[in-house]
Amino acid sequence: MKKWPILSSWQRNWPWALAYLAIASLLTAVLVYAWQDYRNELFAREATMAQDLLWQEQEIRGRLQSNQNILENLAYGLASDSMQQLDFQRRAEALMKSNPEIVNIEWVNAKGQRGDGFPNFERRPESLVALDDSLLTEVIDGAATLGYPMVSNVIWRNSPQMVHVVPFFHQTEYQGAVLAVYDLSILLLQRVPWWMVQRYQLQLIDSNNQVIAPNRYHSRLTGKDIREVPFGGASQQSLRLLAKSIDPITKQSNFWLIGLITALLLLLLWSLKMLRLRMRERQYAEYALRDEILFRSAMENSLVTGLRAMDTDGKLSYVNRAFANMVGWSEAELIGAKPPMVFLAARVSGCVCQCLSSHFAG
């Protein structure tokens, strides 16, 4: 039996390997693009967040520095005895109107006794820091000793407060200090713009990592994407502003597109695999059919009996070797011959044609 030529493993598999490699490369490129796009968005988000927090820090620092300059002018007027009580109250009221986070402005003498301030009150409200509070007196003493403005740590009353202390002197003698009480909850609310609130969760914490604003009962923000900046600059190092992005870093449209492309590539890979299996099955069937044809041809050619086949028109469609040898014609010459057959004698040719016609006619 004749063996059909078998292709080498490399010859059979290299087109499929190339197709699989192309699909795998495309899938890898899609996944790498998705990861790179995610990283780029992450870096862009971090850069934007850093810029926003830097702007917020500078805005609050500038606001506190501007207020400190006004408080220093008030202190200078008190030290030079050029400011009347009504002038002090008016200027303090104007400063508080432009800064709602300031809830009280007053001045105290060298003994720590209240001289004047705004708003006026006969009895000091419990919502304000007491003048004899140890945290406040410590800052006043420090400002008097060092000779420059200082800011207290967080002092809790009905709300978290800090006191800006600006001392004033007559020549070198300490005369007293101007005090501005800040409500930190209002400060965070007033000095954080709406677009910052839409983008980030914000918290103000003290040196003990206790949440001060927006509410002391909130748990501290956690996570790897937390950013932290000093609140109020160098004058207030104990306060820190925490920020966490509200929106997760996702692009739904990109994820859907990448998922669809990945699914289509996997479907294409599965289709190629199934096509390869079907083609291999068909190839094996063709090999089996060819073997059967060769086997039949070998059997027929080995017979000494002549065999022939013809179609409905009487044309020869097949003859074996024994038949060709009997009539003295080659197989190629006999295939396709029509009645009267060339191998018949003239005396019987007409009779044979008549018989064949009757046979085909039924």
Side-chain angles (χ1 to χ4, degrees):
M1 182 183 299
K2 180 181 179 180
K3 293 293 184 181
W4 294 94
I6 303 300
L7 296 177
S8 65
S9 177
W10 167 250
Q11 290 176 323
R12 293 195 308 269
N13 295 329
W14 77 264
W16 299 102
L18 184 62
Y20 291 150
L21 179 62
I23 295 176
S25 300
L26 182 57
L27 181 59
T28 302
V30 170
L31 295 178
V32 170
Y33 167 78
W35 173 249
Q36 191 65 31
D37 183 63
Y38 172 81
R39 295 294 297 175
N40 290 339
E41 184 182 2
L42 178 61
F43 293 150
R45 178 70 64 87
E46 290 179 349
T48 302
M49 189 175 186
Q51 292 176 356
D52 291 344
L53 293 180
L54 179 61
W55 177 89
Q56 184 66 70
E57 177 192 2
Q58 292 176 347
E59 199 278 336
I60 294 176
R61 179 186 300 180
R63 174 66 59 173
L64 294 179
Q65 183 61 47
S66 176
N67 293 344
Q68 178 177 313
N69 294 338
I70 297 176
L71 296 176
E72 288 177 346
N73 290 333
L74 293 176
Y76 179 78
L78 293 173
S80 60
D81 292 330
S82 60
M83 182 175 296
Q84 301 298 324
Q85 177 179 354
L86 184 59
D87 292 337
F88 182 88
Q89 292 181 354
R90 287 176 177 176
R91 296 176 65 177
E93 182 182 7
L95 179 60
M96 291 177 61
K97 284 183 178 180
S98 61
N99 296 269
E101 62 272 13
I102 301 179
V103 295
N104 182 56
I105 298 177
E106 59 190 349
W107 67 272
V108 295
N109 58 24
K111 297 180 180 180
Q113 299 172 344
R114 187 176 191 268
D116 193 13
F118 186 86
N120 288 319
F121 45 78
E122 296 181 359
R123 183 178 179 182
R124 190 174 189 83
E126 295 183 358
S127 59
L128 290 179
V129 179
L131 293 178
D132 58 352
D133 187 284
S134 59
L135 294 177
L136 178 57
T137 56
E138 180 182 356
V139 176
I140 295 176
D141 293 342
T145 303
L146 299 176
Y148 57 78
M150 295 185 65
V151 179
S152 71
N153 290 326
V154 178
I155 303 175
W156 284 94
R157 284 295 180 265
N158 295 343
S159 61
Q161 299 176 0
M162 71 177 185
V163 183
H164 205 150
V165 179
V166 179
F168 58 89
F169 300 82
H170 181 68
Q171 295 182 354
T172 59
E173 182 181 357
Y174 173 68
Q175 296 293 315
V178 177
L179 311 180
V181 181
Y182 286 86
D183 188 317
L184 295 177
S185 299
I186 301 178
L187 178 62
L188 185 65
L189 180 64
Q190 292 290 327
R191 299 308 167 193
V192 176
W194 61 268
W195 52 268
M196 283 284 289
V197 177
Q198 287 185 340
R199 294 180 184 177
Y200 310 108
Q201 298 179 31
L202 299 174
Q203 283 185 349
L204 191 62
I205 63 174
D206 60 12
S207 57
N208 297 322
N209 289 327
Q210 182 180 1
V211 177
I212 297 175
N215 192 305
R216 66 187 300 181
Y217 302 106
H218 287 184
S219 58
R220 187 179 185 275
L221 293 176
T222 57
K224 296 182 179 179
D225 55 343
I226 299 296
R227 294 296 179 268
E228 177 181 312
V229 294
F231 188 84
S235 62
Q236 181 51 263
Q237 294 294 339
S238 63
L239 295 180
R240 290 167 293 161
L241 183 65
L242 300 185
K244 182 177 182 180
S245 180
I246 293 178
D247 296 328
I249 304 177
T250 57
K251 288 185 177 180
Q252 297 294 337
S253 58
N254 283 3
F255 284 165
W256 279 109
L257 179 60
I258 292 171
L260 179 61
I261 293 176
T262 302
L264 290 177
L265 289 176
L266 294 176
L267 180 61
L268 178 59
L269 187 64
W270 177 81
S271 300
L272 284 177
K273 184 175 180 62
M274 297 303 297
L275 178 61
R276 184 180 182 185
L277 292 176
R278 296 296 181 268
M279 292 184 66
R280 183 175 296 177
E281 292 175 357
R282 182 169 182 175
Q283 187 178 31
Y284 289 157
E286 289 177 353
Y287 286 162
L289 178 61
R290 290 175 184 177
D291 289 342
E292 290 295 330
I293 292 175
L294 289 176
F295 178 75
R296 190 192 69 177
S297 298
M299 292 292 294
E300 292 171 352
N301 291 332
S302 66
L303 295 176
V304 295
T305 303
L307 300 176
R308 67 175 180 176
M310 60 182 62
D311 58 17
T312 56
D313 296 329
K315 183 174 63 176
L316 291 177
S317 58
Y318 170 77
V319 295
N320 66 348
R321 188 179 303 170
F323 183 84
N325 293 336
M326 288 179 184
V327 299
W329 294 78
S330 67
E331 296 179 26
E333 293 173 328
L334 293 174
I335 299 298
K338 295 182 179 180
M341 301 302 179
V342 294
F343 53 83
L344 293 177
R347 65 178 181 273
V348 298
S349 177
C351 182
V352 172
C353 288
Q354 184 178 1
C355 291
L356 288 174
S357 299
S358 301
H359 175 73
F360 292 138

